[in-house]
């Protein structure tokens, strides 16, 4: 299982946003949609061994489960519609018990700390960071949990939580990439067993 946590600092937790303005009025929800698509899509296929946790405003987490996903299409607008549909179900999420909004998509009343704690069980926590160790020097973990931020840096509190939980801190190249591009590189790194098998 490969897991990703992506922090959406400005994404609204109210589903009233317009799907025609996900880059502006929806707090750069477009960034998170691209991350979801990068996490799951292969050419004519879906990665079933992937789980993505989108933490919205440190209040809610929308989880995508690759083995159960249906109706995920490779465009940002339809991914945003799945997220909005999950937010419409948030009233049915009780405590840490999720509400499923569509096959493979659920919403939890959990912020970053709770999501990190739950996802990190039986996983190697990897923070992608420009000051981390080069990824080629790190053995690919069997059950990685990669933690990324949206267009904003991690907050001081998020950095503190990560410092306590992280097993590896890696950089994937000499240039800073967008979160969704980073996820594609990470998949290639894992698919090739650390760039050794093709």
């Amino acid at each position: 299982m490969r897991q990703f946590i992506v922090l959406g600092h400005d994404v609204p937790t109210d589903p009233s946003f317009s799907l025609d303005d996900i880059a502006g009025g929806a707090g750069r929800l477009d960034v998170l949609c691209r991350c979801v698509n990068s996490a799951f899509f292969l050419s004519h296929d879906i990665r079933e061994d992937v789980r993505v946790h989108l933490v919205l405003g440190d209040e809610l987490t929308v989880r995508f489960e690759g083995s159960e996903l249906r109706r995920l299409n490779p465009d940002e607008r339809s991914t945003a519609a799945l997220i909005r549909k999950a937010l419409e179900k948030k009233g049915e999420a009780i405590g840490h018990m999720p509400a499923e909004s569509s096959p493979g998509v659920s919403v939890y009343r959990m912020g970053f700390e709770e999501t990190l704690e739950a996802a990190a069980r039986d996983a190697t926590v990897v923070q992608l960071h420009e000051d981390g160790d080069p990824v080629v020097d790190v053995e690919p973990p069997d059950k990685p949990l990669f933690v990324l931020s949206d267009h904003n840096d991690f907050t001081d509190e998020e950095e503190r939580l990560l410092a306590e939980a992280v097993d590896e801190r890696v950089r994937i190249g000499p240039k800073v990439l967008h979160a969704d591009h980073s996820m594609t590189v990470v998949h290639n790194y894992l698919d090739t067993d650390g760039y050794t098998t093709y």
Side-chain angles (χ1 to χ4, degrees):
M1 172 64 69
R2 300 175 186 181
Q3 295 187 81
F4 296 89
I5 292 177
V6 186
L7 300 174
H9 294 95
D10 303 323
V11 175
T13 56
D14 186 293
S16 61
F17 58 83
S18 169
L19 293 177
D20 295 323
D21 189 22
I22 60 173
R28 295 308 310 268
L29 179 58
D30 60 317
V31 173
L32 273 63
C33 293
R34 286 196 294 274
C35 287
V36 169
N37 291 350
S38 293
F40 290 107
F41 281 112
L42 295 165
S43 180
H44 305 292
D45 206 356
I46 290 268
R47 292 182 185 269
E48 294 189 358
D49 63 340
V50 172
R51 180 179 297 145
V52 173
H53 313 264
L54 303 179
V55 180
L56 310 182
D58 202 26
E59 295 176 35
L60 299 173
T61 294
V62 177
R63 188 173 87 180
F64 288 75
E65 191 74 43
S67 60
E68 301 170 14
L69 267 178
R70 304 292 180 271
R71 299 191 286 273
L72 181 66
N73 297 304
D75 66 280
E76 295 170 22
R77 194 176 196 279
S78 65
T79 304
L82 288 175
I83 294 168
R84 186 171 72 176
K85 188 174 180 182
L87 294 178
E88 290 170 352
K89 291 279 192 177
K90 68 181 181 181
E92 298 176 25
I94 301 170
H96 291 176
M97 296 298 295
E100 185 177 63
S101 55
S102 61
V105 183
S106 302
V107 61
Y108 293 76
R109 289 189 175 277
M110 294 166 54
F112 176 52
E113 183 173 8
E114 298 89 351
T115 299
L116 177 62
E117 182 180 343
R121 294 187 190 116
D122 195 34
T124 300
V125 181
V126 183
Q127 180 184 9
L128 299 182
H129 198 283
E130 59 191 287
D131 295 326
D133 296 324
V135 72
V136 293
D137 295 339
V138 178
E139 189 74 22
D142 290 331
K143 298 177 182 177
L145 167 62
F146 295 94
V147 184
L148 306 94
S149 186
D150 56 9
H151 61 295
N152 296 301
D153 291 334
F154 291 109
T155 66
D156 291 343
E157 177 62 11
E158 290 162 355
E159 287 282 12
R160 184 190 68 75
L161 292 169
L162 277 170
E164 294 175 0
V166 75
D167 297 300
E168 301 280 357
R169 198 172 186 218
V170 303
R171 68 175 184 271
I172 55 174
K175 306 286 187 183
V176 179
L177 303 178
H178 288 169
D180 58 314
H181 298 163
S182 299
M183 293 166 81
T184 300
V185 173
V186 162
H187 271 315
N188 183 251
Y189 160 71
L190 296 172
D191 289 344
T192 59
D193 196 23
Y195 307 123
T196 61
T197 305
Y198 288 86

